[in-house]
Amino acid sequence: SRPSGVTWSPDGTRLFTRAVRHDRTWTAWDPVTGKRLYELLPTGFVADNEWKMMPDLFFINGGKEMVAGLEKSEKTERVGSKELLVFDATTGKPLRRLGDPLPKERFQWAIPIAVEPDGSSVVMQVYTVSGPPGMPGGGAAMIDTVQEYTFHTTRWDPVKNESIREWEVTGHRVDTVRRFGRFTVGLGVDQGDYNNKEKTLRPAKMRCYSLSDGKLAHEWTTGFAGLEADRVQGNFLLTTGYNRKWITRGNTLSFAAQPPFACDLWDISTGQGVRVSETDRQATVVLGPRGQYILRVRDDGSVEVYEPFVLKKAVATVSAAARPQQFEFAPDGGRVAVSLADTSVVVWDTAPWRTAIDAAVAKEIPADLGPLWNDLGADAPTGLRAARLLAAAGDRGLALLKAKVTARQPPAAERIVRLIADLDAPGFGTREKAEADLRELGSTAGPFLQRALKAGPSAEAAKRLEKLMAALATHKLSPAEVRELRAVLVLEWQGTPAAHELLAEWAKGDAAAVLTRAAKGIGR
């Protein structure tokens, strides 16, 4: 049976699979020899055979131990009670329970989506489903016709058996993307009203929620009624967007996806996207490490390696013995495990195509890097192309950024107060410039704007203050902040000691500044 789950250990020495029709356990393999190492079995913790392993494995205590979810039911995955077991990552031996079993009624329709590295808490995503009027009950099988489909997320202390924090994810569907990178987010997708066949579907909205505190981190509108998300790699998320309509075939009515299928690569931090392709048929697309390339399964089952920023074309093709179904990259990005339709798993070395991409991109580096600095603050296709070229330029690109970007210092309170006062100045030009300067300051001006609004300003000043606060609430970035985020991306892509040294300098700036927060996030 082909694996429904493929997971690497943090050190890349073991590969874990969980089969579609034999999902009682996870199996550990040596990715070099293909030798079966062990299976995760709850020996000594479960008295009977009525159990299944839940999707996903979580590594704790520096990768020495694993947490696997167990469901006490053989007939269905989401009826029996659940508990979490800790296994030795080297031997697969069951070690202990991670706290008490989860309360059955509360977590009957739930899956774990994160576990703290020390095992102190687990994030559970709980599904609440109800049917349309006139339809009793409700359930997962009604996903395309549900009236209400709510996702409640709980950070749970398994030892104290109590909730630490709870939040709801807004949207008709929520994807828990397989890899989160440093953006530990849940993706809430609002895909419009499927129940009303006469109504035009709203464009899907992508909402990213922090798994640490449940706050909405990012939100943007995609322009499509339907959306499928692949995974997060670094700053980036890969999606396939399409429209849908009701199709009648004989006596069957279905809500079918319609071409074209648009593949977009989204820069999460800015909410801007790069169109990768539009095709008449939906294909499997996979985002490579740090978002630097995309794997796309072709009609003949081969896989093309596509560079999305500079070359905008396939640079290599890899053949497979059977059609690839799933891909999972090793933690260092040097290998990718591929589950094939013939039930086998192959491990590919990514070095050949990464080398080919780097060589081709290097030929596009201009002699004068100056214009690339200005391009960093432009739209996504232009700005991300500039970032990729500056990263490829090595020491030259690093020197340019070192000269252009310094750690953000907290703005002088006197200046912000003066700018806020100028929002009510007699001259229109003065008011416009003050608003532009405050917008440029971004989140660092937030507390001052809030206090000014509470002080009861004039109608003109209030209007401008509200506009600035709305921009902050929607995470709208200034051009300078966009440029700084992409400067951080350049250094992340370079990954050299000198690049990390410069990032460390930028991370010492104003804690509220976008540049500081982004620089601190690298490596987490």
Side-chain angles (χ1 to χ4, degrees):
S1 182
R2 70 178 176 83
S4 61
V6 181
T7 299
W8 290 85
S9 63
D11 61 4
T13 61
R14 290 174 299 284
L15 185 65
F16 296 85
T17 63
R18 175 180 179 269
V20 171
R21 300 187 185 280
H22 303 281
D23 52 357
R24 286 175 58 85
T25 185
W26 286 86
T27 302
W29 308 83
D30 183 326
V32 177
T33 65
K35 179 182 177 182
R36 182 194 296 259
L37 300 176
Y38 58 77
E39 292 186 343
L40 297 187
L41 300 172
T43 306
F45 292 89
V46 177
D48 53 41
N49 287 323
E50 299 210 347
W51 54 267
K52 287 185 179 182
M53 293 287 182
M54 298 173 69
D56 221 336
L57 282 176
F58 305 93
F59 292 87
I60 62 173
N61 296 330
K64 296 178 181 178
E65 297 177 336
M66 302 174 294
V67 176
L70 203 68
E71 297 193 274
K72 296 293 188 65
S73 178
E74 178 65 21
K75 298 176 183 178
T76 180
E77 286 197 1
R78 294 182 181 173
V79 172
S81 59
K82 298 174 172 62
E83 61 179 302
L84 302 170
L85 294 184
V86 180
F87 296 83
D88 183 281
T90 302
T91 64
K93 178 182 177 181
L95 300 176
R96 62 187 182 277
R97 287 185 170 89
L98 187 66
D100 295 328
L102 298 169
K104 181 177 179 180
E105 294 302 321
R106 182 167 191 167
F107 294 110
Q108 179 174 337
W109 294 84
I111 58 171
I113 59 176
V115 177
E116 279 297 296
D118 61 358
S120 60
S121 66
V122 56
V123 179
M124 300 294 297
Q125 185 159 282
V126 184
Y127 299 75
T128 303
V129 187
S130 61
M135 295 184 67
M142 299 166 56
I143 187 169
D144 283 336
T145 57
V146 294
Q147 186 179 33
E148 298 291 340
Y149 201 18
T150 305
F151 299 85
H152 186 81
T153 308
T154 300
R155 180 171 288 279
W156 186 258
D157 185 326
V159 176
K160 295 181 179 179
N161 216 23
E162 64 183 20
S163 174
I164 300 173
R165 184 175 292 110
E166 300 188 12
W167 62 92
E168 284 196 6
V169 177
T170 304
H172 287 78
R173 194 187 81 232
V174 172
D175 291 318
T176 52
V177 172
R178 181 66 185 84
R179 290 294 178 203
F180 299 104
R182 70 174 180 273
F183 290 100
T184 47
V185 295
L187 303 174
V189 183
D190 186 349
Q191 296 194 130
D193 184 0
Y194 290 165
N195 300 311
N196 188 344
K197 303 180 183 63
E198 304 300 324
K199 188 175 181 179
T200 301
L201 296 180
R202 297 187 300 275
K205 285 187 177 181
M206 189 68 71
R207 301 184 180 97
C208 301
Y209 295 83
S210 166
L211 287 184
S212 61
D213 56 17
K215 292 181 179 178
L216 180 65
H218 304 284
E219 178 183 68
W220 66 92
T221 302
T222 66
F224 295 97
L227 202 67
E228 302 296 333
D230 172 52
R231 69 195 70 198
V232 173
Q233 295 275 25
N235 284 2
F236 299 101
L237 169 69
L238 187 66
T239 66
T240 299
Y242 48 85
N243 290 311
R244 307 181 77 174
K245 68 177 183 179
W246 293 99
I247 301 293
T248 301
R249 293 187 178 92
N251 296 324
T252 303
L253 181 66
S254 61
F255 196 57
Q258 300 295 302
F261 295 94
C263 179
D264 290 305
L265 184 55
W266 298 94
D267 180 352
I268 293 178
S269 56
T270 65
Q272 299 177 1
V274 173
R275 177 60 47 84
V276 176
S277 64
E278 286 190 17
T279 57
D280 292 334
R281 284 186 285 183
Q282 190 167 1
T284 299
V285 287
V286 179
L287 185 58
R290 299 190 295 175
Q292 291 187 300
Y293 59 86
I294 293 168
L295 302 181
R296 181 165 50 194
V297 180
R298 304 198 311 187
D299 289 345
D300 62 3
S302 62
V303 178
E304 66 178 20
V305 184
Y306 185 95
E307 197 287 320
F309 302 120
V310 176
L311 308 174
K312 299 182 180 179
K313 64 179 182 180
V315 295
T317 302
V318 185
S319 298
R323 190 171 187 82
Q325 303 283 353
Q326 284 185 292
F327 299 77
E328 190 64 35
F329 291 93
D332 64 359
R335 292 165 294 171
V336 59
V338 188
S339 167
L340 303 181
D342 66 358
T343 76
S344 65
V345 175
V346 295
V347 177
W348 291 339
D349 182 1
T350 65
W353 64 66
R354 287 187 289 115
T355 300
I357 290 174
D358 290 344
V361 170
K363 295 178 181 178
E364 303 296 324
I365 301 171
D368 180 10
L369 299 182
L372 296 180
W373 166 253
N374 295 325
D375 288 347
L376 281 180
D379 59 19
T382 303
L384 293 173
R385 178 182 184 276
R388 187 72 178 89
L389 289 171
L390 285 171
D395 290 343
R396 291 174 59 214
L398 180 71
L400 183 144
L401 295 183
K402 195 169 186 177
K404 294 285 189 181
V405 183
T406 56
R408 284 274 190 170
Q409 299 304 313
E414 296 81 5
R415 178 176 179 241
I416 298 178
V417 171
R418 186 173 64 253
L419 289 172
I420 290 175
D422 285 347
L423 294 176
D424 201 24
F428 176 77
T430 303
R431 298 196 300 271
E432 286 286 290
K433 185 177 185 307
E435 182 178 332
D437 288 348
L438 287 167
R439 190 180 302 276
E440 192 79 5
L441 290 172
S443 57
T444 59
F448 295 88
L449 301 176
Q450 203 166 30
R451 285 197 294 270
L453 263 176
K454 289 181 179 179
S458 68
E460 171 69 14
K463 181 179 178 181
R464 292 179 181 271
L465 286 167
E466 288 169 356
K467 191 191 306 182
L468 290 166
M469 289 298 295
L472 288 178
T474 57
H475 310 281
K476 187 174 182 180
L477 301 169
S478 69
E481 289 173 328
V482 170
R483 186 179 289 112
E484 288 173 347
L485 284 173
R486 289 181 180 150
V488 170
L489 177 62
V490 170
L491 299 186
E492 181 185 8
W493 275 343
Q494 286 193 348
T496 62
H500 283 288
E501 183 179 340
L502 184 53
L503 282 170
E505 289 183 20
W506 293 351
K508 296 175 182 177
D510 177 18
V514 166
L515 174 65
T516 307
R517 297 199 305 269
K520 284 182 177 179
I522 300 300
R524 290 186 179 179

